Amino acid sequence: MKTRARWGKRATFIVGITLAFAYVFPFFLVFVNSFKLKYDILDNPLAIPLQITWENFQQAYTKMNFFRSLTNSIIITFFSVSLLIIFSSMLAYYLARTKTKLSKYIFLILVASMIVPFQALMIPFMARFAQFVSWNNRGALIFFYIGFGVALSTFLYHGFISNIPTEIDEAASIDGASDMVAFWRIIFPMMRPVTATVAIINALWIWNDFLLPRLVLTNETQTLPLSTYLFYGQYSIEYGQAMAGLVLAVIPIVIFYLILQKQFISGISAGAVK
Amino acid sequence: MKFAGIPLAIFSIVLVVPFVNGAYYTFTDWDGFETTKLVGFSNYAKSFQDPTFWSTLRFTALFVIVSLILVNAVAFGLALIVTSQLRSKNFLRTFFFVPNLVGGVVLGVIWQFIFNSALVALANKYNWELFKQSWLQDTNKAFWALIIVTVWQSSGYMMIVYITGLVSIETDVLEASQIDGASPLRTLFTIKIPLMAQAFTIALFLTLRGGFMAYDVNVALTGGGPFRTTELISLHIFQDAFANGNFGTGQSKAVIMFLIVALAALVQVSVSKRYEVQR
């Protein structure tokens, strides 16, 4: 029995390691080839580069306007996520604490809306908002992300607030705190775990989104996925540069992940059970 | 809390209005700018007369079914590995999740390089028949390429959902089954899976929805090629409306897509809810 269990464990380990290797292999391949010259890549994509060239990175950095797209991605993600946290936590508080028919229906509509695919809206969407988009497309995009993200975020907050006893609110209002003060000073700080979940789930989605930015953004306001896609389309024949571009596109989020790994995993699992 | 009105207003402007608007447009002669008259169901009739729409629907259905099965099977397997007693489990979990951090477009482009260039170069060097011609130039192989990338990308996320389900099972139940002499396999099928059925409901719902909405990987990996044979429904609608300017049929197809997704999700959730055990 004991030896069987040990063999089972060993087999699991081997399968696990093999799979883990397979999961990161594509990234490894891109990374290795980003330091090579075009000829070496075609000769053997698996070989470790003997001569390291930084030329690819320099080219990719300028051609895909890396710094500009990174800044755009950061600005858009930061403002969308922060505003989503502020708005959806307040909305969830309102919906969870007012027990009226209206608040119940609003909540139901929010939940039901999560099943609507963006594709079902995008055509009238673009016709209707063309003007707004041409006036300030980054602002428009942030506005849209709030609209699309508010349902899930509110839903997550709602589940948490329902478990906070109303006595806390009452105690605050007896002490003379207004609704707003009670919420921001007492309730909101209690919700830190959900806030982390909301922040991570929305940040991942917004950071990586492609379809909406593709419809909305201009050249100057491109986000990282968009500029990577366009750059690759244009320079895919220059393999080395294309690979360097991909490395640049992947690095920021991977670094972020390695720093906040625990929060990522627990945030996503908390969001998933709901 | 009058401030709760702001997110509700944004939600209505961004989601509700275009949704109602879009449904209305499908019954008019809308050309992207203006409408002059109602045309009844003719946009829907035209959509269903379009043979490429039918082939897209078939292709999408196949994609959704195959990816649903494979993503969940792989994700559940990964979850079992990282909840076992391995010392390296946290390390493995980190690796499995990495593809999920990166957007579908970048992943699609990475695999485009692998299928179009890396594998072809290696196949020519070492004489591997299977990869000598790029998989993306053949409809059937391109389908499997899409599946491979999708499984690779989404299984890490669904793994987390399954981990959450697995660790929520009370240890005393598991100990009891061990004392009763149940084999690990038996425990898995008669104790663990029924007790974590909720995780399956969620993961199946997410993969179903994700499969229908898949766009990024499709665009970046195959671009719908060869000859529009690997277009999933999202890309098909995008092309119809924004590349060919058929706003009426494009929007009708989008409404059809919404109805299919809503119906499929409803059926799936109500069926899997029946397997959930009350605790």
Side-chain angles (χ1 to χ4, degrees), chain B residues 17 20-21 39 42 66 73 77 83 88 122 143 160 168 190 192 228 253 257 268:
Chain B
V17 172
V20 177
N21 241 242
V39 295
S42 80
V66 176
T83 49
S88 51
L122 289 171
F143 172 79
I160 308 261
S168 74
T190 54
K192 283 187 184 166
R228 297 191 67 175
K253 289 169 181 174
M257 173 189 179
Q268 178 262 322

Side-chain angles (χ1 to χ4, degrees), chain A residues 84 87-88 91 95 105-116 121 125 129 142-154, chain B residues 4-20:
Chain A
L84 266 171
F87 285 141
S88 51
L91 178 58
L95 292 177
Y105 283 129
I106 292 174
F107 187 66
L108 276 178
I109 291 173
L110 285 174
V111 172
S113 79
M114 285 191 265
I115 210 172
V116 179
L121 310 169
F125 194 82
F129 296 116
I142 293 169
F143 185 82
F144 298 154
Y145 280 139
I146 296 169
F148 287 118
V150 80
L152 178 66
S153 313
T154 306
Chain B
I6 300 172
L8 279 179
I10 300 177
F11 173 78
S12 312
I13 294 169
V14 172
L15 237 120
V16 183
V17 172
F19 185 71
V20 177

Side-chain angles (χ1 to χ4, degrees), chain A residues 13 20 23 43 114 119-120 123-125 128-129 148 208 210 214 229 232 239 243 257 261 268-269 272, chain B residues 13 15 21 88 94 96-97 101 103 105 109 112-113 117 125 152 155 164 202 209 213 215 219 234 247 251:
Chain A
F13 177 73
Y23 269 69
D43 180 49
M114 285 191 265
Q119 286 81 351
I123 302 169
F125 194 82
R128 193 149 270 272
F129 296 116
F148 287 118
N208 286 321
F210 175 68
R214 191 187 189 188
Y229 175 73
Y232 190 86
Y239 294 107
M243 292 305 107
Y257 170 63
Q261 212 196 112
I268 283 166
S269 62
Chain B
I13 294 169
L15 237 120
N21 241 242
S88 51
T94 309
F96 294 146
F97 192 75
L101 298 167
V105 175
V109 168
Q112 197 199 30
F113 166 76
S117 314
K125 194 166 177 165
W152 177 66
S155 51
T164 318
I202 295 162
R209 192 167 165 274
M213 289 175 63
Y215 172 83
V219 163
S234 293
F247 288 92
Q251 185 54 25

Side-chain angles (χ1 to χ4, degrees), chain A residues 6-256:
Chain A
R6 193 163 353 125
W7 278 106
K9 204 170 154 183
R10 214 167 277 175
T12 322
F13 177 73
I14 291 167
V15 174
I17 284 289
T18 317
L19 281 171
F21 183 71
Y23 269 69
V24 289
F25 186 71
F27 295 111
F28 170 76
L29 202 63
V30 168
F31 183 73
V32 164
N33 285 306
S34 64
F35 295 102
K36 291 192 214 166
L37 297 168
K38 184 179 175 180
Y39 171 78
D40 294 331
I41 295 174
L42 287 179
D43 180 49
N44 186 358
L46 293 178
I48 303 293
L50 294 172
Q51 260 187 319
I52 286 184
T53 167
W54 292 98
E55 175 69 18
N56 293 331
F57 281 95
Q58 278 161 6
Q59 290 288 334
Y61 185 88
T62 35
K63 284 184 190 160
M64 71 191 269
N65 255 311
F66 178 74
F67 188 71
R68 195 176 69 186
S69 350
L70 183 71
T71 320
N72 283 326
S73 274
I74 291 173
I75 291 174
I76 289 168
T77 309
F78 176 79
F79 281 104
S80 307
V81 172
S82 315
L83 290 169
L84 266 171
I85 288 172
I86 295 171
F87 285 141
S88 51
S89 62
M90 287 199 296
L91 178 58
Y93 182 64
Y94 165 77
L95 292 177
R97 288 296 194 243
T98 22
K99 299 264 182 280
T100 60
K101 270 223 171 85
L102 180 71
S103 68
K104 219 174 103 189
Y105 283 129
I106 292 174
F107 187 66
L108 276 178
I109 291 173
L110 285 174
V111 172
S113 79
M114 285 191 265
I115 210 172
V116 179
F118 171 67
Q119 286 81 351
L121 310 169
M122 73 182 170
I123 302 169
F125 194 82
M126 285 321 291
R128 193 149 270 272
F129 296 116
Q131 195 117 54
F132 180 19
V133 163
S134 64
W135 170 59
N136 179 348
N137 58 57
R138 260 180 302 205
L141 190 61
I142 293 169
F143 185 82
F144 298 154
Y145 280 139
I146 296 169
F148 287 118
V150 80
L152 178 66
S153 313
T154 306
F155 180 67
L156 292 170
Y157 274 121
H158 191 275
F160 197 87
I161 294 176
S162 307
N163 290 329
I164 298 178
T166 45
E167 281 83 5
I168 293 181
D169 308 39
E170 281 154 21
S173 84
I174 290 168
D175 289 347
S178 70
D179 265 10
M180 282 302 265
V181 174
F183 177 70
W184 288 113
R185 301 284 287 273
I186 297 160
I187 307 288
F188 189 76
M190 291 172 73
M191 300 198 292
R192 209 178 266 164
V194 217
T195 302
T197 299
V198 170
I200 283 165
I201 289 181
N202 284 309
L204 252 187
W205 156 64
I206 291 168
W207 182 269
N208 286 321
D209 191 31
F210 175 68
L211 184 50
L212 194 53
R214 191 187 189 188
L215 290 167
V216 167
L217 298 177
T218 60
N219 267 338
E220 284 72 44
T221 55
Q222 276 169 10
T223 53
L224 207 45
L226 200 56
S227 67
T228 313
Y229 175 73
L230 296 174
F231 171 74
Y232 190 86
Q234 242 177 328
Y235 294 96
S236 61
I237 307 299
E238 294 296 328
Y239 294 107
Q241 292 181 27
M243 292 305 107
L246 292 176
V247 171
L248 289 175
V250 168
I251 276 180
I253 186 85
V254 170
I255 291 176
F256 198 62

